[in-house]
Amino acid sequence: MKLYVYDHCPFCVKARMIFGIKKIPFELVMLLNDDEETPIRMIGQKMAPILEKDDGSYMPESMDIVHYVDESFGALALMGKTNPAIADWLKQVSPYLNKLLIPRYAQADFCEFRTPSARQYFSHKKEAMIGNFSEALAQSPELIKQLEQDLAQLEKLIQSPGACNGELSVDDIHLFPSIRGISIVKGVKYPPKVDAYRKEMSKISGVNLLDSLAQ
């Protein structure tokens, strides 16, 4: 199987996680961000992730991929119960998180930006969505302060380093990509349980944190 992704993309991280959690071999293919032809040829639109199955068919949508892999290969891995408070926390940070992350993604050394045109394509699309990157970056001090307050709330919800609810569940598939994204923001102070969770989930899923790219 092949999984076509962008490294920065949280939806792509969701699809990558289930392969790592279940230790299923697959080929990871990093698409250029301005490559419209490849995904359109596969699924009729530009989006990622895309799973190319062994039979040559293609599957888009991160959670469809997660459930397909979990249900098709060995015992189910995501057996734990969900906690509505995790979804509520993600909704709480969503309004401002992109202003912290996207301008930093645009400057970072990701494979999907390995050509100037790919980086420019991303920046043009995302500035239309969140506004001027420089203005967003100027808000970083106040946004980081808000984020650290929200991480303190998340600390109360984390039950173990290897699963936010004590047993792996779809909540981990939704939560870790955001926590991984936050690791590109330099200077964020993580509460102990959140820090342990992000590091352990990175090991379990095989998806690297972005600490080395932090800015």
Side-chain angles (χ1 to χ4, degrees):
M1 290 182 288
K2 293 182 181 179
L3 187 65
Y4 296 82
V5 302
Y6 308 123
D7 194 6
H8 76 276
C9 169
F11 300 102
C12 298
V13 171
K14 294 181 183 187
R16 292 168 64 183
M17 286 177 71
I18 192 63
F19 284 94
I21 288 169
K22 301 197 73 166
K23 296 181 171 55
I24 297 172
F26 72 108
E27 181 179 347
L28 189 66
V29 182
M30 296 288 181
L31 294 166
L32 280 169
N33 200 257
D34 62 344
D35 178 1
E36 296 182 343
E37 187 277 332
T38 299
I40 289 174
R41 172 175 53 81
M42 293 175 177
I43 60 169
Q45 59 182 312
K46 183 187 184 297
M47 65 181 298
I50 301 169
L51 176 65
E52 181 179 355
K53 300 180 185 178
D54 290 334
D55 65 4
S57 64
Y58 298 103
M59 174 181 285
E61 301 292 349
S62 58
M63 291 311 296
D64 287 350
I65 295 170
V66 168
H67 291 304
Y68 167 75
V69 172
D70 197 18
E71 294 167 7
S72 300
F73 301 92
L76 290 174
L78 305 177
M79 295 287 288
K81 295 181 179 180
T82 58
N83 179 359
I86 296 294
D88 290 343
W89 186 86
L90 288 168
K91 290 178 184 177
Q92 182 173 310
V93 301
S94 176
Y96 67 82
L97 205 55
N98 280 340
K99 288 190 174 183
L100 274 173
L101 305 188
I102 289 178
R104 290 170 167 84
Y105 291 157
Q107 297 177 11
D109 187 21
F110 288 115
C111 289
E112 57 263 37
F113 306 142
R114 59 186 179 271
T115 66
S117 63
R119 192 179 298 275
Q120 185 178 17
Y121 180 98
F122 176 85
S123 296
H124 178 73
K125 293 282 187 180
K126 298 303 183 182
E127 281 197 308
M129 183 179 79
I130 71 164
N132 181 269
F133 285 171
S134 295
E135 293 177 5
L137 288 169
Q139 299 176 46
S140 289
E142 60 195 74
L143 294 180
I144 290 173
K145 182 178 180 180
Q146 178 63 56
L147 175 60
E148 290 178 343
Q149 293 173 357
D150 288 332
L151 288 172
Q153 294 182 19
L154 180 62
E155 175 85 347
K156 301 172 185 178
L157 303 176
I158 301 294
Q159 295 186 25
S160 75
C164 61
N165 301 325
E167 183 180 7
L168 281 170
S169 70
V170 293
D171 278 352
D172 295 296
I173 301 296
H174 293 306
L175 177 61
F176 176 70
S178 291
I179 299 299
R180 189 245 192 183
I182 291 167
S183 66
I184 202 170
V185 183
K186 189 174 182 179
V188 173
K189 298 176 182 177
Y190 298 94
K193 288 183 180 180
V194 175
D195 193 37
Y197 175 79
R198 73 188 193 101
K199 292 174 180 175
E200 185 63 20
M201 283 305 303
S202 176
K203 293 178 183 177
I204 291 171
S205 68
V207 179
N208 63 306
L209 293 171
L210 303 175
D211 294 342
S212 64
L213 301 178
Q215 51 189 287

